[in-house]
Amino acid sequence: MSDRLPGFRDFYPEPLPAADAWSCDLRQHLFERWRDTARRYGFREYDGPPLEPLELYTNKSGAEIVAQLFNFTDKGDRAVALRPEMTPTVARMIASTERAYRKPVKWFSIPQLFRYEKQQKGRLREHFQLNCDIFGEADVSADAEIIALLIDVLRALGLTADDFVIRLSSRQAWQRFFAAKGGDPARAYDFYQVVDKIDRERPEVSAERLTALGIRLEEVQAFITASVPEPELQAVLDNLSARGLGEFLKVDYGVIRGLAYYTGVVFEAFDRKGEFRAIAGGGRYDQLIHQVSNGRVNLPALGFGMGDVVLAELLKARGLVPSFAGRVAAVVLIEDEGLRSDSLRLVQTLREAGHAIEYALTPSKGDKQFKRALDLGALHTVRLERAADGALMARVKELKTRTERVLTPAEVSDAL
Ligand code: HAM
């Protein structure tokens, strides 16, 4: 039997076959909360192709993602790549159709993304990512709106201000810092990449790279330690505090984001204890649409991506994964094979009424069928019987309380 590829996942229905198996029920739970919350904020769902021209990424996303591309030449000799992120795709979609939409455009998507990364905790070679983006609004009120949405997505999953924090920063602040120190504007992105890795890199290495850019490590460290909110960040803080969401925020210039296209406020969501990698990241990218459209369209843009991998790990660690039992409304028990046809009719009627119904496909003992109902976490069992006068009756048992009611078959649907 061949194994699956490293970094890819099988998703199983619960109960899971092994403690480390990925749950399709949990995945669905995340998707439902993601969709509900995005819709509450007025975002509309879109999607794009999982395979894109390679060049969509090679000059827009930045070196790190390009090094992680799953790319190949297709049978038509095209250089293609599986999408490693959604932002270039949505930028292209918006750039080519923006006249059809009233601004600001607020869109979300839940793509599966592919990055050839070294497999490690919180990092796989495929993941699902909620993407929420706003197009056509340059004001920082849009930055605050997108961060409020990010916070509410995490709250909708049961996480609180004790569990996570949004670290806020600003590429503009770093750009001003770099300019004030006499940095070469053409090398700003090289500078951002050193800052991005400063936590993970040995200080001597960072210091050397910074010196090559004319900057001293101590100056950078002092700027991060002070993290004084610059005006664009203060405006975001004020807006979110007015909503009562101030406790979720921390200004932290240690965040700068690895991707090349960010131009303004940037942010990342982390668990408070610092046990996991980033839960989500995003920011403003006002030049990307201009680039993707070869200068034809100019639209400010911003958004975030939230992956399912770290999020699932965090929810498990905090005991916030709900029970997925009880999805079966009833198991129809067929103990008397003489009643199979009547039972099948009842199963069909109940399913048509929208209930999730199970029953034994082949004859089996009553206690076995009952045990299966318990294993499935079913809410009820229903058993048909023929009364002395020949009428069909249904015994509906609620499994939690074990209370039983005798009803006519027509009354069963309402009783579930
Ligand atoms: P990103 O920071 O590369 O941003 O990814 C966002 C989130 O996706 C990360 O915080 C992490 O939770 C998850 N993620 C990324 N790579 C992996 C991986 N290999 N395995 C598991 N999870 C992963 C972006 O992708 C931007 N395009 C987000 C964005 C949207 N910015 C503006 N709009």
Side-chain angles (χ1 to χ4, degrees):
M1 195 173 61
S2 62
D3 243 341
R4 58 178 194 268
L5 291 167
F8 286 78
R9 293 173 288 176
D10 296 326
F11 288 91
Y12 289 92
E14 304 221 6
L16 297 177
D20 61 352
W22 286 88
S23 163
C24 212
D25 291 290
L26 175 55
R27 183 176 94 179
Q28 193 55 28
H29 171 65
L30 298 183
F31 288 7
E32 281 166 13
R33 290 296 165 288
W34 284 353
R35 285 205 167 89
D36 288 351
T37 317
R39 289 194 184 125
R40 271 197 279 143
Y41 275 72
F43 283 63
R44 305 293 314 277
E45 188 161 0
Y46 70 94
D47 201 357
L51 196 65
E52 289 276 20
L54 178 64
E55 58 158 36
L56 185 63
Y57 308 107
T58 41
N59 40 25
K60 277 120 199 163
S61 297
E64 194 168 310
I65 267 200
V66 170
Q68 296 168 342
L69 284 173
F70 270 93
N71 61 300
F72 56 96
T73 307
D74 76 4
K75 289 176 181 167
D77 256 342
R78 296 174 201 90
V80 296
L82 286 171
R83 58 187 176 195
E85 58 157 339
M86 198 61 172
T87 313
T89 297
V90 73
R92 185 201 60 223
M93 288 169 64
I94 278 285
S96 60
T97 56
E98 58 96 14
R99 283 156 169 273
Y101 296 99
R102 216 181 286 283
K103 314 299 177 303
V105 176
K106 302 196 290 180
W107 281 2
F108 79 96
S109 188
I110 307 182
Q112 189 173 22
L113 305 177
F114 304 87
R115 299 184 189 181
Y116 201 92
E117 295 212 45
K118 199 166 136 228
Q119 205 191 153
Q120 50 190 297
K121 188 170 170 242
R123 282 288 174 276
L124 300 172
R125 289 185 175 165
E126 64 50 46
H127 70 283
F128 290 90
Q129 195 186 81
L130 169 66
N131 275 251
C132 299
D133 292 86
I134 302 180
F135 303 94
E137 183 51 73
D139 193 84
V140 282
S141 57
D143 302 70
E145 180 79 352
I146 206 89
I147 294 168
L149 169 55
L150 167 54
I151 294 170
D152 273 341
V153 168
L154 294 174
R155 290 170 78 205
L157 290 159
L159 296 163
T160 68
D162 292 334
D163 299 309
F164 74 92
V165 60
I166 311 295
R167 295 202 206 142
L168 270 183
S169 178
S170 162
R171 279 260 171 115
Q172 287 147 293
W174 276 113
Q175 191 192 344
R176 289 189 290 260
F177 172 94
F178 190 59
K181 306 286 174 198
D184 173 2
R187 301 197 63 191
Y189 180 56
D190 296 336
F191 171 64
Y192 301 156
Q193 283 190 301
V194 184
V195 177
D196 185 46
K197 297 198 172 61
I198 221 159
D199 274 351
R200 284 165 278 162
E201 198 57 88
R202 281 182 296 123
E204 312 85 82
V205 177
S206 297
E208 196 186 307
R209 289 184 184 151
L210 288 169
T211 308
L213 295 162
I215 311 278
R216 287 194 303 118
L217 176 63
E218 297 73 36
E219 296 173 317
V220 169
Q221 285 168 334
F223 191 67
I224 294 175
T225 307
S227 283
V228 180
E230 304 251 334
E232 68 273 15
L233 289 182
Q234 193 56 53
V236 171
L237 291 174
D238 292 345
N239 181 309
L240 290 166
S241 297
R243 306 175 195 226
L245 299 178
E247 61 177 334
F248 293 95
L249 307 170
K250 183 177 186 297
V251 172
D252 181 349
Y253 289 146
V255 170
I256 191 163
R257 308 276 299 138
L259 292 159
Y261 47 67
Y262 293 111
T263 55
V265 170
V266 287
F267 49 87
E268 282 183 334
F270 281 92
D271 68 292
R272 284 265 184 203
K273 292 189 187 161
E275 289 171 43
F276 300 94
R277 301 188 58 144
I279 308 165
R284 183 173 275 283
Y285 52 99
D286 285 347
Q287 303 303 324
L288 185 63
I289 294 185
H290 193 252
Q291 272 183 34
V292 167
S293 66
N294 292 321
R296 231 175 11 85
V297 183
N298 219 342
L299 263 191
L302 68 159
F304 69 83
M306 176 186 297
D308 68 319
V309 179
V310 174
L311 189 56
E313 286 172 352
L314 177 62
L315 293 178
K316 281 183 212 161
R318 301 289 174 267
L320 289 172
V321 177
S323 156
F324 297 107
R327 296 286 161 102
V328 175
V331 172
V332 172
L333 306 174
I334 308 174
E335 293 177 5
D336 173 356
E337 283 300 319
L339 292 172
R340 180 164 286 269
S341 298
D342 295 303
S343 299
L344 285 175
R345 187 168 314 124
L346 178 64
V347 165
Q348 186 65 23
T349 311
L350 294 175
R351 285 177 173 167
E352 283 175 10
H355 303 290
I357 305 296
E358 271 279 9
Y359 69 99
L361 290 171
T362 53
S364 79
K365 289 216 176 73
D367 56 345
K368 225 172 130 190
Q369 294 181 43
F370 188 74
K371 189 155 175 308
R372 180 160 159 81
L374 295 178
D375 286 348
L376 288 168
L379 300 176
H380 303 88
T381 56
V382 181
R383 188 160 51 85
L384 287 182
E385 272 178 10
R386 210 167 276 288
D389 63 359
L392 271 182
M393 300 306 293
R395 285 186 182 274
V396 179
K397 185 183 275 182
E398 192 187 356
L399 290 181
K400 199 163 80 191
T401 56
R402 300 283 163 112
T403 49
E404 194 174 71
R405 285 187 289 169
V406 182
L407 307 170
T408 67
E411 292 168 331
V412 175
S413 179
D414 283 346
L416 299 182

